Amino acid sequence: VKWPVTVVGQINNYLIHAEGSKIYLEKWESGSFNKLAMFDLGMCVTSFSSIKNFLLLGDLRKGIDFLQWKEEVATQTKNLRRLSRSPPSAPITVLACEFVVCQKSLGLVALDHAGCAHLFSYSPHSDGREGDRLLRSCATFSMGYPCRASLRMQAESGVQSVVMASGAGELLCLRPIDDQVYRTITTLLGMLSTRLPFRC
């Protein structure tokens, strides 16, 4: 290839790699790679994750993009299209990206250079401002140090967490919880913050 390769991965037995801002999907046929699809993103692709036929791509300055790989057998068409992206009004330098899964809910996680984990969700049917063409921001967690590596792991049946490794030697875990557990923890944290002595 003519440009530096910044990301390499696999989706549905296809090779996916990034050359700067361009993503290529290729298939090994007759002793060589055959390009099937190409997508031009923002500045420079820094990270990649996939689940089923969905791709999550992190960019050096433009945040994350949520794409879908579609292959129609009847019409013999192959298509790589953008479903949504993080809001361009709040650019993120993405070092790593990954999915979190809780039953039928899918979360998109972007880890930035400031040591924060940004959680987004995709809503295919919305008013078009946030959730359709733009991902909906759900939460931001300060991890302390920048995390460059992430791995999606099965926590229990129907739940997949993200394990992250920081440059300071920490292993962190971002795990989805259900509404009842969230309400219980929030109530306990509220009680602790008001009833425990404040030291500083």
Side-chain angles (χ1 to χ4, degrees):
V1 297
K2 295 180 180 179
W3 311 103
V5 176
T6 55
V7 167
V8 67
Q10 170 187 330
I11 180 170
N12 297 344
N13 296 321
Y14 296 113
L15 172 73
I16 184 167
H17 74 278
E19 299 174 32
S21 65
K22 293 179 174 56
I23 286 287
Y24 294 97
L25 227 81
E26 302 187 19
K27 185 176 184 180
W28 183 261
E29 292 176 324
S30 306
S32 65
F33 281 108
N34 181 24
K35 284 187 170 59
L36 301 176
M38 188 273 289
F39 194 86
D40 198 353
L41 283 159
M43 188 177 287
C44 179
V45 179
T46 56
S47 57
F48 160 80
S49 183
S50 68
I51 188 167
K52 295 187 178 178
N53 63 326
F54 296 102
L55 290 83
L56 186 62
L57 300 166
D59 191 82
L60 183 66
R61 193 67 187 136
K62 304 286 185 177
I64 56 173
D65 284 87
F66 186 45
L67 283 74
Q68 181 184 32
W69 167 248
K70 207 166 192 179
E71 196 170 1
E72 298 283 347
V73 179
T75 59
Q76 294 184 347
T77 58
K78 299 172 178 70
N79 188 12
L80 187 62
R81 69 183 182 105
R82 176 189 280 155
L83 296 175
S84 191
R85 60 181 292 196
S86 58
S89 58
I92 304 170
T93 299
V94 179
L95 301 179
C97 59
E98 193 54 86
F99 293 99
V100 288
V101 180
C102 186
Q103 304 306 330
K104 293 184 178 181
S105 297
L106 183 68
L108 296 82
V109 179
L111 306 173
D112 71 8
H113 72 291
C116 293
H118 303 270
L119 179 64
F120 296 95
S121 68
Y122 172 65
S123 303
H125 307 292
S126 72
D127 59 5
R129 288 192 302 271
E130 189 180 51
D132 185 2
R133 288 172 284 175
L134 294 180
L135 294 170
R136 188 171 68 89
S137 177
C138 298
T140 300
F141 306 97
S142 176
M143 311 308 279
Y145 294 94
C147 297
R148 181 65 185 93
S150 62
L151 176 68
R152 186 173 67 245
M153 294 182 68
Q154 186 84 25
E156 58 187 64
S157 179
V159 177
Q160 293 181 12
S161 303
V162 176
V163 177
M164 299 159 285
S166 79
E170 297 172 319
L171 284 175
L172 306 147
C173 181
L174 190 62
R175 184 183 186 280
I177 55 177
D178 61 28
D179 289 338
Q180 183 61 43
V181 176
Y182 173 76
R183 283 194 292 272
T184 304
I185 290 174
T186 304
T187 304
L188 286 172
L189 287 173
M191 292 168 64
L192 288 172
S193 66
T194 56
R195 296 183 183 179
L196 287 179
F198 186 63
R199 298 295 181 191
C200 300

